[in-house]
Amino acid sequence: MRAQQDGGAEEEKPTRRGWRSLGRPLGWRIRWRRPSLRIDYPRGERRGLRRWLPSWRQLLLVGGVPMSVLTGWLVWFFVNTPVPEDLNSFATQQNNVYYWADGTEMARIGPTNRQEVPLGQVPEPVQWAVLAAENATFYTDPGISVTGIGRAVVQMVTGGDTQGGSTITQQYVKNIYLNQRQDMSRKLSEIVIAIKLDDRMSKQDILAGYLNTSWFGRGSYGIERAAAAYYGKDVSQLDPSEGAFLAAVLKGAGQYDPAISAENRKRAEERWSWTLDRMVEVGKLSAAERARYTVFPEPRPQPKSAGLSGQTGYLVDTARSYVETHSGITPAQFDLGGHQIRTTFEKPKVDALAAAVKEGTAGIDPEGREADRFLKVGAASVTPDGRIVALYGGVDYLKQGFNTANTTTVPIGSAFTPLVYAAGLGQGAQRERGGKRTPVTPTTTYNGDNGVNVMTPEGPYWGRDGKIVKTANDGKRNWGPVTLRGAVEQSVNGPLMQLGMDVGLDQVQKTATDLGLLPSSVGELVPALGVGNSTPSAIRAADAYAAFAAGGSHTDPYSVLGISRNGVPLPLQLPASAQVLTAAVAGEVDAALKGSVRDGAARPVAEAGPGLAAKPGSTPDRTAGWMVGYNGQLATAVTVFRADLKDMKLLSLEGLGGAAPDAPDSAVPTRIWTSYMKSAAGGR
């Protein structure tokens, strides 16, 4: 087809824009304002096949226009594809890892099993095992591989996926910025961001990021957790052979984890061997070193993940609470993960306490005995310097999230009386309004009979019911005149109730808070304060008694020794000790508590070892039983109570475990305390 050229034809006029007009059918003319440009096709001056073959100018025109458009679009795409500001959520989430006091791992909590490590902690041969297998030109490429991209394009055109051909930089981009979808749009974004990221970040930072965000299987993101999952080691302890295996599972743990199948093991061994050979090829492993690694580094069986079952959940909750109130880390920051929390908890003691509870409650039958329903046990062990080394928060955290070791709803009963005794010895008594205080000594004598009127400087104390408040001893026993020390040793409540009034309930309250009881848990300032209307947790009760063992020095209880994030230590406020009782007062309380074990109310615990100091506790309404004491190095409190956790209404302990109606409510906690202290103290 040719545009008409003879002079008899009417010349075409340019359009208003002056760029083209249509000619004959199957032909066209492109006219510019001055010279015209014609596309002569089929080629009129040619014949046969040559008529249909385009000229090189025509080829250039037809191919050049789309190529120019494509080039322009690629430039536009490159300029307008930024490096995202926000990372994939899973790329920043990490576990918070809790450790026992001895440094062994206790629990790993969080949505992702990942923990970042600096590149310097990854041995160089392990780094090069990954590089040799995945991207040997990593340190010299611009973030992408042209040949790799070519292979990926061929795979895509031929119906394959676009997974191949990615450099480590591209894989890192996919890990932290993009989704895992495999299509052209995502691939182009990956390429552009990789080029820009390579220009913006150092190669070391990119490699560190890749190793910390890659999936290695067995629930592990990052090479640190992979080292633990496959070899039970820190990444810094891996050798080149083990590094070569981890490089293999990067290809896909579903195909290379030997624990899954024999076929997987065969593939893993082949890939492991090839990676070591490749390291020799790229000059990162000598032939002599390669010859040392002839045996496949068999990974250990997949370990069971550390969960929150048993006592672990209670320990984790206690430690987390301490971190959030003593480190300046907000809950939102803590939930980002990456923290390593070194706790004060000692696993042998935690296990021993749980075993003692099981042993001490062996006769409890909640299904067959109404008096045994809803029984709860709470217990804690605290050292004189405030470290919580063990606690028992319930039968199982996954079954009962409520931590009975930290409850502040159960009255401590007569186990509170040593604190009243300490207040009396330290502050003296004031029996007349405005009069001078008189010293109180261990030999100061009080009326130990049951039902004695409780007195104030003005006369009897009248209760809100319009009746005079009277003392009430266990079993309503009359003891006659009794020294204060004797009252503590034998658990005679009346004299201690009156002592609280003589000292001043406000002074008793101050002594209790000085010894670590939370102000909110200290009971109402009425005569019952002296015999335990306060509701401290087992943790706080043990901590208060620990001050008697420490010569009057008190340290608030704490559960965390230190915290770091990604290996960098973070500030943590640890409690300071304070001398809240004189050594003489603490010594007198200690002597009374030891007398209680020797020949007093706490005699049943004596079999746990020598040098024990302890005091049982019960309440007038029989809703709680306690045993609190220490051996010089360890203070332990055990409480039992019955309550439906739906309303926390306390129920009577009478008949618990089939015991006689007049059996002491401290019997079960006494058995638990004795069994535990015998085990925890090793008989000392």
Side-chain angles (χ1 to χ4, degrees):
M1 175 184 65
R2 302 180 62 187
Q4 188 172 0
Q5 299 180 14
D6 58 343
E10 183 180 349
E11 184 176 351
E12 291 181 82
K13 295 181 180 180
T15 63
R16 184 167 59 89
R17 293 188 182 184
W19 65 279
R20 71 168 189 169
S21 65
L22 293 176
R24 291 180 179 178
L26 301 179
W28 61 89
R29 171 181 296 173
I30 298 177
R31 168 174 288 185
W32 302 94
R33 290 189 181 274
R34 281 197 276 262
S36 63
L37 175 63
R38 298 182 305 156
I39 299 178
D40 182 19
Y41 190 84
R43 299 167 69 186
E45 72 277 8
R46 298 287 187 269
R47 295 292 181 268
L49 180 62
R50 295 180 63 190
R51 173 180 173 83
W52 300 97
L53 294 176
S55 69
W56 67 269
R57 292 185 181 87
Q58 291 170 337
L59 288 173
L60 183 62
L61 179 63
V62 172
V65 171
M67 184 62 67
S68 298
V69 172
L70 178 61
T71 301
W73 181 83
L74 288 174
V75 171
W76 176 89
F77 187 84
F78 184 90
V79 172
N80 289 278
T81 301
V83 176
E85 296 293 333
D86 298 326
L87 306 181
N88 282 335
S89 59
F90 79 88
T92 56
Q93 290 174 334
Q94 300 182 63
N95 286 143
N96 288 320
V97 187
Y98 294 80
Y99 296 92
W100 296 103
D102 64 3
T104 57
E105 185 174 316
M106 178 175 73
R108 183 173 296 275
I109 310 301
T112 303
N113 187 11
R114 186 166 68 83
Q115 181 178 337
E116 289 188 10
V117 290
L119 187 62
Q121 291 186 21
V122 182
E124 190 170 340
V126 175
Q127 297 178 35
W128 272 103
V130 174
L131 293 174
E134 295 288 313
N135 184 189
T137 62
F138 169 73
Y139 281 106
T140 57
D141 66 39
I144 63 171
S145 167
V146 176
T147 57
I149 292 173
R151 288 195 304 272
V153 170
V154 171
Q155 288 177 333
M156 181 183 61
V157 171
T158 57
D161 61 36
T162 60
Q163 212 168 14
S166 294
T167 62
I168 277 181
T169 305
Q170 288 174 258
Q171 293 179 57
Y172 176 51
V173 167
K174 182 175 65 176
N175 285 350
I176 66 168
Y177 294 127
L178 305 176
N179 55 48
Q180 302 300 304
R181 190 179 70 248
Q182 302 295 332
D183 57 32
M184 178 59 81
S185 174
R186 209 275 305 147
K187 191 70 176 180
L188 287 174
S189 296
E190 173 190 302
I191 292 169
V192 171
I193 296 173
I195 293 172
K196 291 184 176 182
L197 202 66
D198 187 80
D199 185 58
R200 183 178 301 182
M201 293 176 64
S202 71
K203 289 288 189 179
Q204 289 78 11
D205 287 344
I206 292 173
L207 180 58
Y210 171 72
L211 293 175
N212 281 317
T213 57
S214 292
W215 171 250
F216 285 83
R218 296 195 175 184
S220 302
Y221 280 93
I223 197 165
E224 169 69 10
R225 297 317 311 152
Y230 288 98
Y231 293 109
K233 297 180 178 180
D234 186 87
V235 65
S236 63
Q237 299 171 315
L238 295 177
D239 62 33
S241 178
E242 294 161 336
F245 167 75
L246 293 184
V249 293
L250 275 172
K251 295 288 288 183
Q255 291 187 313
Y256 291 91
D257 186 347
I260 296 177
S261 67
E263 291 76 11
N264 272 23
R265 191 189 188 286
K266 181 180 179 182
R267 279 191 291 266
E269 189 166 356
E270 290 173 352
R271 182 74 178 178
W272 160 78
S273 181
W274 175 84
T275 300
L276 290 173
D277 291 341
R278 178 70 172 151
M279 291 176 69
V280 175
E281 184 180 333
V282 299
K284 297 302 176 181
L285 189 69
S286 69
E289 289 176 302
R290 171 65 181 90
R292 292 169 49 195
Y293 302 116
T294 57
V295 178
F296 180 65
E298 198 73 46
R300 67 176 183 170
Q302 185 167 357
K304 296 180 180 179
S305 59
L308 295 178
S309 61
Q311 298 305 304
T312 304
Y314 305 117
L315 305 178
V316 166
D317 277 359
T318 302
R320 172 170 180 150
S321 177
Y322 191 85
V323 167
E324 291 180 353
T325 54
H326 292 81
S327 70
I329 301 171
T330 67
Q333 291 170 329
F334 194 74
D335 283 341
L336 288 176
H339 300 92
Q340 297 80 48
I341 303 96
R342 178 81 171 271
T343 73
T344 59
F345 303 120
E346 299 179 13
K347 190 176 189 304
K349 290 185 172 59
V350 171
D351 292 343
L353 187 53
V357 172
K358 184 177 181 180
E359 178 184 338
T361 58
I364 303 300
D365 181 13
E367 301 297 329
R369 189 181 295 117
E370 179 65 25
D372 292 354
R373 294 188 65 203
F374 306 122
L375 180 68
K376 302 292 183 289
V377 179
S381 259
V382 181
T383 61
D385 61 1
R387 289 176 292 117
I388 308 171
V389 296
L391 61 79
Y392 180 89
V395 290
D396 190 316
Y397 181 81
L398 299 182
K399 298 177 181 178
Q400 175 196 300
F402 180 77
N403 185 354
T404 50
N406 205 31
T407 180
T408 55
T409 59
V410 181
I412 190 172
S414 51
F416 184 81
T417 55
L419 282 68
V420 180
Y421 184 44
L425 294 173
Q427 305 299 324
Q430 187 179 29
R431 297 182 178 88
E432 296 180 5
R433 188 69 62 195
K436 293 184 178 181
R437 287 187 171 271
T438 59
V440 171
T441 70
T443 58
T444 300
T445 302
Y446 275 76
N447 187 342
D449 288 341
N450 185 69
V452 176
N453 291 345
V454 174
M455 303 299 292
T456 71
E458 288 80 18
Y461 184 94
W462 293 83
R464 293 173 183 171
D465 59 359
K467 297 179 181 179
I468 295 175
V469 175
K470 298 179 180 296
T471 62
N473 294 331
D474 289 343
K476 299 182 179 180
R477 179 177 174 180
N478 293 320
W479 290 81
V482 62
T483 65
L484 288 177
R485 177 172 175 173
V488 173
E489 292 178 344
Q490 303 299 330
S491 198
V492 184
N493 293 337
L496 278 307
M497 178 183 282
Q498 184 59 57
L499 176 63
M501 299 298 295
D502 294 345
V503 173
L505 297 178
D506 57 339
Q507 293 300 314
V508 174
Q509 179 188 51
K510 181 180 184 304
T511 298
T513 55
D514 286 347
L515 288 168
L517 270 63
L518 298 176
S520 59
S521 72
V522 176
E524 189 179 1
L525 300 186
V526 295
L529 176 68
V531 287
N533 67 357
S534 297
T535 56
S537 66
I539 294 172
R540 291 284 173 170
D543 181 63
Y545 271 58
F548 302 141
S553 174
H554 171 260
T555 307
D556 272 341
Y558 63 102
S559 56
V560 178
L561 295 168
I563 182 170
S564 60
R565 189 167 196 271
N566 299 328
V568 179
L570 299 177
L572 179 70
Q573 181 183 354
L574 296 179
S577 61
Q579 193 73 29
V580 298
L581 302 174
T582 66
V585 168
E588 291 294 354
V589 178
D590 176 71
L593 293 174
K594 287 178 178 176
S596 179
V597 174
R598 185 172 55 252
D599 52 15
R603 279 193 307 274
V605 307
E607 64 180 272
L612 297 174
K615 176 75 173 65
S618 59
T619 61
D621 59 1
R622 305 198 64 179
T623 56
W626 288 77
M627 178 57 73
V628 190
Y630 52 87
N631 64 359
Q633 295 82 36
L634 196 64
T636 301
V638 180
T639 181
V640 299
F641 59 96
R642 293 177 59 227
D644 187 342
L645 296 182
K646 294 178 182 178
D647 57 17
M648 280 305 295
K649 181 179 179 181
L650 297 179
L651 305 172
S652 174
L653 292 174
E654 184 176 343
L656 179 66
D662 59 348
D665 296 328
S666 59
V668 172
T670 295
R671 290 200 300 268
I672 295 171
W673 195 96
T674 304
S675 175
Y676 168 68
M677 292 297 282
K678 185 186 297 183
S679 173
R684 296 193 303 274

